[in-house]
Amino acid sequence: DKYIKNIEEVVNKNKNNDERYLLNFSLAHIYDKKGEYILAEKNFIVANKLKSKKNKYNKNKTKLIIDETINSFNNELYNDLKDDNSKPVTPIFILGMPRSGTSIIEQIISNHDKVYGAGEIIKMTQIEEKYKNMFSKKMRYPSSIKFINKEIIQNLSNQYTEYLTSLNPESNIFTDKLPGNFIRIGLIKLLFPYAKIIHCKRHPIDTCLSIFFTNFSDNINYSFNLKNIGNYYLNYYRLMAH
């Protein structure tokens, strides 16, 4: 209790928001472990409010991206680009919302001696960016996926498999557990039709509150406001249903 009181005094005296929110997150987790949930909630709210001041979440932009993704990745696209060729590397994509259990699933799977756990790698994000840039003058992605062809698919899938192989040349089965890859499933299934995709699901309230209780990096800009988290979750849910 004396330790907590000292932290509270430091928080109250500190006028630097970039330092205060870290202290509030720390206090919140301490109170949570002590079972003092009202004080924990108070500090989580303060911490997230301080951090959200410089993180602008755009609900309309999120809805637009999900709408375009649903419209662009359709049956017609896959029928035209059906690829029966097997790849030298088998990726297993473990994805879903943050705090949904992706880490423990990867730990379980990568315990198998034939599987290499690559962790949260951003290679698929980089490949998606490469494709965006190819047709950025013609059309915005994801609508521009209509211009993809088998040659591009081969090239991009090779880049991904080469990267995985560089991590561990002895393995040909890898896990990629970047949760946000759920938004790239359409692209993933074009590059790797037979890739394994594991969608981790947790109760929506548990998922959303756990995100709110976590001090995420700025790029997860919806995570500092409960309404924004709820909005993002509903859009994620729409896309996964598609």
Side-chain angles (χ1 to χ4, degrees), residues 1-9 27 30-31 34:
D1 290 342
K2 183 179 178 182
Y3 173 68
I4 295 174
K5 189 175 180 181
N6 288 339
I7 297 178
E8 287 177 336
E9 288 176 357
L27 267 178
I30 291 169
Y31 281 129
K34 285 172 62 64

Side-chain angles (χ1 to χ4, degrees), residues 7-189:
I7 297 178
E8 287 177 336
E9 288 176 357
V10 172
V11 171
N12 293 330
K13 290 178 182 177
N14 197 322
K15 302 300 180 184
N16 186 330
N17 286 349
D18 289 337
E19 295 176 359
R20 278 194 66 187
Y21 83 82
L22 291 171
L23 292 167
N24 281 115
F25 267 120
S26 297
L27 267 178
H29 284 293
I30 291 169
Y31 281 129
D32 185 52
K33 288 180 180 178
K34 285 172 62 64
E36 297 184 31
Y37 302 119
I38 292 175
L39 288 171
E41 178 189 21
K42 176 185 173 183
N43 279 278
F44 277 127
I45 290 171
V46 171
N48 280 294
K49 275 186 177 179
L50 288 171
K51 191 157 188 181
S52 67
K53 287 181 178 180
K54 62 178 182 177
N55 291 281
K56 302 300 181 184
Y57 172 69
N58 190 323
K59 295 179 182 179
N60 293 331
K61 183 179 179 181
T62 298
K63 182 181 183 303
L64 181 63
I65 290 171
I66 298 302
D67 286 344
E68 288 185 358
T69 303
I70 289 172
N71 292 330
S72 301
F73 291 94
N74 51 47
N75 286 335
E76 183 181 353
L77 177 70
Y78 294 97
N79 289 336
D80 291 343
L81 294 168
K82 190 175 182 181
D83 182 6
D84 295 323
N85 296 324
S86 61
K87 308 293 182 184
V89 164
T90 302
I92 303 172
F93 294 91
I94 304 168
L95 44 77
M97 284 289 287
R99 307 298 299 159
S100 62
T102 55
S103 296
I104 188 66
I105 295 298
E106 182 184 56
Q107 288 173 24
I108 292 168
I109 295 173
S110 61
N111 274 333
H112 195 288
D113 57 8
K114 292 185 179 179
V115 179
Y116 179 79
E120 291 190 11
I121 57 175
I122 62 169
K123 190 62 180 178
M124 191 55 66
T125 309
Q126 293 170 341
I127 286 173
E128 182 185 57
E129 283 298 318
K130 284 187 177 182
Y131 185 82
K132 285 181 185 180
N133 294 333
M134 284 182 193
F135 301 101
S136 59
K137 292 181 180 179
K138 288 185 180 181
M139 187 178 287
R140 181 177 62 189
Y141 183 86
S143 297
S144 64
I145 199 67
K146 66 192 288 185
F147 300 122
I148 201 167
N149 57 45
K150 290 189 176 182
E151 183 181 348
I152 295 173
I153 288 172
Q154 188 66 46
N155 180 266
L156 295 178
S157 62
N158 285 346
Q159 289 181 44
Y160 184 79
T161 55
E162 285 168 9
Y163 174 76
L164 289 183
T165 304
S166 72
L167 298 177
N168 185 350
E170 303 301 317
S171 182
N172 63 354
I173 305 176
F174 297 81
T175 59
D176 178 342
K177 74 155 220 80
L178 188 68
N181 273 333
F182 76 83
I183 205 166
R184 300 178 191 93
I185 289 177
L187 180 62
I188 288 168
K189 294 303 282 184

